[in-house]
Amino acid sequence: MRPDLSWTRQHAFRWALVVFVVALGLRLFIVSSVHPNPRDGRYDDSVWYDTTARHLAAGDGYVFDPTVWKTATGDRIYPNDDALTPTALWPPGYSLTLAAVYKLTGNSILAGRLLNALFGALTAALVYLIARKLFDPAAGVIAGFTLAFLPGHALFTTVLLSETYFGFLLTLLLAVSVYFVFGRSRPNLLIIFALGALTAFAGYVRGEFLAYGGFLAVLLIFHLRLRAILPLLALAAGAALVVTPWTVRNRIQLGETIVGTTGSGRVMFQGHNDLTDGGPSLEAFYRLEEHYKGLSLKEIELKANRDGAKQAREWAMDHKLEELRLIPKRMYRLFRSDESGVTWVQGNRPWFGPDGADRLIKFSSAVFYGLIALALASWPLWWKTRDTRKWAVFGIVPFYMIVFGVLFIGDPRYHYALYFPIVIFAAPALAAIGRITADNFRSISGGRSLGSILRTYGTPAP
């Protein structure tokens, strides 16, 4: 008996495939042209992901390796520490996934970048499917191709950071929500269980996202009312399936019950202290740790997390007016440009010259702000207060504005998750512009297509 392949001939599948192929082609080109190396002595987050993935692949566990952290001059930051220590400083999701690739490929950085390219292309196809479901096929195609060519999203592909993988998980989560949960009066409990697990795992790729499960729970109550009890239990059970092993591991290896990460306290302190300007601060980071000299790296990690969170809360309670003043500063830093795709490619081994990088940042920022403007301008086309499917997608925006505009610190890198709702909600405006343009053309051409006119009169002379 032959398998039923009729679904491959459906309109949605064909367009999703086209978007995927185009997005993949562009990302493969970027990967082949620009390839920053986390092993070249740089000091950035890609060093963490590469190193922890290599140790996981080697069977060492999720550990902190002090030997790889060096200053721009090549001097070691931890010259007297060589031992690997268990860590929960950053979420382990991307490192675990990258470790599986490293295990199969002998720690190949190229394989890691190709994995990013695959995830980035799949994300564009998922964005197409989401926008198609929420609006119409034209909006879906426009949203998919817009993300495929979005500079910030495409450039992150070549850097071994968690953004590209997280973007895939986030859009997969949104697609499941839109198609199988909030679009139905009686969603399947097994699917909601999987949604809970997926949300928690996405939170272990980007730590702040763990809290998004709470928003989904509220949305389930709004959507199902009294029928939400069992779905809420299924959502919680799915999340517990992912959260429990990590929490137990931390209890055993670190001696503390840590559900999230030990890095959250440090980040909170950076955003809530006397010298903060609302953005990242290595000075605050080192100031927090200066009291722990002589302790082991594991003890420093745990104490900095506890004390950083405590001091941040106390400072915020004692400086309420200053906290209010800091919110617009953090928001400004969150949206000041769309530079991160360029700056993280540059690192301390620049791939673009200063002028080229500056032009690329300006272009990327112009596209980003233009999409925001289109999304805002087209709100009458998509704003439906009772449509929980659209709320599941739109909720990403206020969630991230609260997390990084109020709780933590603002930085252009942290608006990465906003690419997806912005592109999806800008698509109806772009589709409307396309329809208006097409209608006007038909009215002045007597209903004839452009191809018909060109065949009759020929192409315009140069």
Side-chain angles (χ1 to χ4, degrees):
M1 182 177 179
R2 292 183 179 180
D4 182 10
L5 299 178
S6 60
W7 59 275
T8 63
R9 296 189 292 271
Q10 293 179 2
H11 184 272
F13 172 80
R14 292 199 300 269
W15 273 111
L17 184 60
V18 171
V19 169
F20 169 79
V21 170
V22 171
L24 182 63
L26 175 61
R27 280 149 183 79
L28 291 176
F29 172 76
I30 292 173
V31 164
S32 67
S33 304
V34 183
H35 28 86
N37 189 340
R39 302 170 196 172
D40 65 5
R42 66 184 59 228
Y43 179 79
D44 64 24
D45 293 7
S46 66
V47 178
W48 174 274
Y49 293 116
D50 173 65
T51 303
T52 52
R54 280 189 283 157
H55 283 299
L56 283 166
D60 300 326
Y62 193 56
V63 293
F64 182 87
D65 184 348
T67 66
V68 300
W69 298 101
K70 299 178 182 179
T71 65
T73 60
D75 298 323
R76 283 181 53 181
I77 295 175
Y78 305 100
N80 301 318
D81 291 295
D82 296 321
L84 302 175
T85 56
T87 186
L89 194 57
W90 286 346
Y94 182 54
S95 297
L96 286 166
T97 305
L98 190 58
V101 175
Y102 279 1
K103 186 72 173 178
L104 296 172
T105 63
N107 296 334
S108 169
I109 293 176
L110 175 59
R113 293 196 189 99
L114 293 176
L115 183 70
N116 275 358
L118 175 63
F119 284 136
L122 288 171
T123 302
L126 287 168
V127 162
Y128 156 75
L129 291 172
I130 295 168
R132 188 183 196 278
K133 184 69 171 178
L134 294 182
F135 304 110
D136 55 51
V141 171
I142 289 171
F145 279 119
T146 300
L147 188 74
F149 287 98
L150 192 66
H153 187 267
L155 284 170
F156 263 114
T157 304
T158 195
V159 190
L160 292 186
L161 294 174
S162 60
E163 269 73 6
T164 301
Y165 186 39
F166 172 68
F168 165 71
L169 294 173
L170 174 57
T171 51
L172 179 60
L173 180 153
L174 294 178
V176 171
S177 299
V178 167
Y179 276 84
F180 304 110
V181 178
F182 297 110
R184 303 188 177 191
S185 59
R186 292 183 179 277
N188 186 289
L189 292 180
L190 185 59
I191 290 177
I192 296 180
F193 175 86
L195 180 66
L198 180 59
T199 304
F201 185 74
Y204 285 130
V205 175
R206 295 293 304 174
E208 73 281 349
F209 197 72
L210 273 175
Y212 199 71
F215 174 79
L216 290 177
V218 172
L219 206 56
L220 277 173
I221 295 172
F222 180 75
H223 179 60
L224 298 174
R225 300 295 196 274
L226 295 177
R227 292 178 288 110
I229 296 177
L230 288 179
L232 286 174
L233 291 174
L235 186 75
L241 180 69
V242 176
V243 170
T244 302
W246 171 249
T247 306
V248 171
R249 174 263 184 192
N250 292 336
R251 182 74 235 179
I252 295 173
Q253 296 196 357
L254 298 177
E256 290 192 11
T257 304
I258 299 165
V259 177
T261 70
T262 53
S264 59
R266 305 178 193 217
V267 179
M268 287 181 66
F269 181 74
Q270 289 182 61
H272 305 272
N273 66 78
D274 289 332
L275 301 179
T276 185
D277 59 1
S281 170
L282 284 177
E283 180 184 355
F285 177 86
Y286 293 129
R287 184 155 57 98
L288 178 64
E289 292 192 351
E290 67 183 1
H291 306 292
Y292 311 132
K293 291 181 180 178
L295 298 180
S296 68
L297 291 176
K298 185 172 80 169
E299 290 175 312
I300 292 174
E301 181 178 324
L302 295 172
K303 285 183 175 294
N305 181 50
R306 289 195 302 267
D307 294 349
K310 180 183 177 183
Q311 292 180 42
R313 289 194 301 268
E314 291 176 348
W315 190 88
M317 293 302 296
D318 294 340
H319 300 81
K320 297 181 179 66
L321 186 59
E322 185 61 26
E323 278 291 314
L324 292 176
R325 294 194 186 104
L326 279 169
I327 291 175
K329 291 182 179 180
R330 296 190 192 106
M331 290 295 184
Y332 165 74
R333 291 182 176 279
L334 186 63
F335 291 102
R336 71 175 183 227
S337 73
D338 194 39
E339 66 183 37
S340 297
V342 179
T343 55
W344 280 91
V345 165
Q346 295 287 81
N348 63 347
R349 300 287 191 276
W351 282 88
F352 306 111
D355 292 339
D358 185 59
R359 285 194 294 269
L360 193 51
I361 288 172
K362 289 179 179 178
F363 173 70
S364 183
S365 299
V367 173
F368 180 63
Y369 294 143
L371 289 171
I372 292 176
L374 284 168
L376 292 173
S378 65
W379 73 266
L381 299 175
W382 55 261
W383 183 263
K384 298 289 187 295
T385 56
R386 298 292 302 176
D387 192 340
T388 49
R389 297 174 306 166
K390 291 176 181 174
W391 271 106
V393 179
F394 177 76
I396 299 294
V397 177
F399 176 80
Y400 269 86
M401 290 176 70
I402 291 172
V403 168
F404 292 110
V406 178
L407 299 179
F408 292 115
I409 50 179
D411 186 82
R413 178 185 176 186
Y414 301 143
H415 70 229
Y416 181 91
L418 304 187
Y419 286 157
F420 314 110
I422 288 172
V423 165
I424 289 167
F425 289 122
L430 290 168
I433 292 171
R435 282 192 290 269
I436 292 170
T437 302
D439 290 342
N440 288 338
F441 178 81
R442 282 192 292 270
S443 68
I444 63 176
S445 66
R448 299 177 64 188
S449 68
L450 177 61
S452 174
I453 293 173
L454 292 177
R455 285 193 296 271
T456 302
Y457 299 103
T459 57

